[in-house]
Amino acid sequence: MSDPLVFHFDVDGENFTSAGQASTQVKKNLRQIGLSPDIIRRVSIAMYEGEINMVIHASGGVADVTVTEEYVEIVLKDKGPGIESVERAMQEGFSTATDSIRSLGFGAGMGLPNMRRYTDSMEIDTVVGVGTTITMRVNL
């Protein structure tokens, strides 16, 4: 694989029935490429958590996944409210999800911590009132 492979997804906001479709498709694509099950699992978990966060907090956004010979990069961009305190948001169990979101089984405050746990690097670029871009990499 000399040229990077790029997959683009639009993530529909506030639609929990379609949430997870992008991460499921990425999992299938990575399987077809022949990446190891461990890499596929790590990428899928990080992507799913990010996708759910965009649905819960940001009315959706876009996800771009790039596969090179060295890494898989996931870039998630939204035009949501931004993250007021990245430090607090990275704490396990911290969540700004509403009670109605929690009643659906989401909003436990593990999204960002899991995204960091399953990737080799993660950068969060966020501006309150403008949106958030999260860039994650899983090394191959």
Side-chain angles (χ1 to χ4, degrees):
M1 170 177 49
S2 53
D3 290 335
L5 295 173
V6 180
F7 308 108
H8 175 82
F9 304 93
D10 292 311
V11 178
D12 190 12
E14 299 172 19
N15 184 350
F16 287 95
T17 55
S18 69
Q21 285 181 348
S23 53
T24 299
Q25 187 59 51
V26 166
K27 184 189 294 187
K28 289 177 186 171
N29 294 352
L30 298 181
R31 251 191 225 125
Q32 288 176 340
I33 295 167
L35 294 184
S36 76
D38 180 59
I39 295 292
I40 294 170
R41 182 180 65 84
R42 292 174 59 206
V43 169
S44 298
I45 291 169
M47 175 116 181
Y48 177 79
E49 293 284 11
E51 197 176 346
I52 290 297
N53 276 354
M54 285 196 290
V55 171
I56 292 172
H57 301 290
S59 300
V62 295
D64 290 296
V65 178
T66 303
V67 183
T68 73
E69 293 182 7
E70 291 88 36
Y71 57 81
V72 177
E73 182 177 75
I74 305 162
V75 179
L76 307 171
K77 292 183 184 181
D78 68 53
K79 291 181 172 59
I83 301 170
E84 286 189 30
S85 170
V86 172
E87 189 176 321
R88 283 184 69 203
M90 291 301 296
Q91 294 174 2
E92 293 187 7
F94 177 80
S95 178
T96 58
T98 63
D99 287 342
S100 62
I101 297 294
R102 290 173 196 259
S103 73
L104 297 172
F106 300 102
M110 292 304 295
L112 290 173
N114 278 338
M115 290 161 70
R116 180 181 54 198
R117 179 175 294 117
Y118 289 102
T119 58
D120 293 302
S121 68
M122 182 170 109
E123 294 174 18
I124 300 174
D125 180 20
T126 186
V127 178
V128 173
V130 176
T132 301
T133 299
I134 297 179
T135 303
M136 299 175 283
R137 277 194 180 175
V138 175
N139 297 327
L140 301 180

